[in-house]
């Protein structure tokens, strides 16, 4: 397998599982896949976060807000791996309850990753509903 293929396998397995878990109210898997080294950031559909403390608080808030995810998919449209950095861009399609109210939405999502001690970690996420 190429380095890109290995990265995509991780995106489709571990990262997918973490995103599904947070949409079911569990932030632990997402936290485990995010970098614990500065800088980290989120430009989010709900709110922004800069630095480890704010990002961690955001994940807690999201997990408390989400439940009963009935569908989550990531439509990857582009990605690249260059040494110890990688990025993805695509569309997340989610059907979930937010504060107990069922809803569905699509986000445009770009993420940046760093390889740290041999493992891929998310360092930045930008997600929005778009125009």
């Amino acid at each position: 397998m190429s380095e890109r293929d290995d990265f995509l396998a991780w995106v489709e397995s571990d990262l997918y599982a973490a995103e599904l878990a947070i949409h079911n109210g569990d932030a632990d898997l997402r936290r485990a896949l995010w970098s614990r080294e500065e800088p980290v950031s989120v430009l989010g559909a709900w709110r922004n976060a800069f630095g480890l403390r704010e990002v961690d608080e955001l994940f807690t808030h999201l997990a408390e807000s989400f439940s009963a995810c009935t569908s989550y998919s990531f439509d990857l449209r582009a990605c690249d791996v260059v040494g110890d950095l990688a990025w993805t861009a695509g569309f997340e399609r989610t059907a979930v309850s937010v504060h107990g109210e069922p809803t569905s939405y699509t986000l445009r999502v770009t993420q940046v990753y760093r390889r740290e001690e041999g493992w891929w970690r998310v360092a930045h996420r930008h997600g929005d509903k778009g125009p």
Side-chain angles (χ1 to χ4, degrees):
M1 286 182 102
S2 72
E3 189 172 73
R4 185 176 187 277
D5 291 337
D6 286 340
F7 171 73
L8 289 176
W10 175 81
V11 167
E12 294 169 357
S13 60
D14 294 354
L15 187 60
Y16 176 86
E19 293 306 303
L20 186 60
I22 199 164
H23 286 97
N24 278 305
D26 181 359
D28 290 345
L29 288 176
R30 186 185 258 195
R31 279 191 183 98
L33 295 185
W34 270 69
S35 178
R36 301 311 298 167
E37 298 178 18
E38 297 285 5
V40 293
S41 55
V42 175
L43 297 175
W46 285 4
R47 72 185 216 204
N48 302 321
F50 300 95
L52 292 169
R53 183 184 56 77
E54 287 184 15
V55 167
D56 191 56
E57 289 171 359
L58 173 60
F59 294 167
T60 298
H61 171 75
L62 291 173
E64 290 170 349
S65 302
F66 290 139
S67 63
C69 181
T70 58
S71 177
Y72 171 81
S73 66
F74 180 59
D75 177 14
L76 179 69
R77 302 308 300 259
C79 77
D80 201 5
V81 176
V82 181
D84 288 336
L85 293 174
W87 61 271
T88 56
F91 299 96
E92 288 182 348
R93 293 178 175 84
T94 308
V96 65
S97 289
V98 178
H99 301 292
E101 294 295 322
T103 189
S104 60
Y105 53 85
T106 299
L107 297 179
R108 302 181 303 180
V109 176
T110 302
Q111 294 194 152
V112 178
Y113 312 84
R114 292 189 292 248
R115 192 173 3 227
E116 298 173 357
E117 299 180 12
W119 301 97
W120 287 110
R121 297 292 179 244
V122 184
H124 173 75
R125 172 184 172 86
H126 175 249
D128 67 33
K129 290 188 177 186

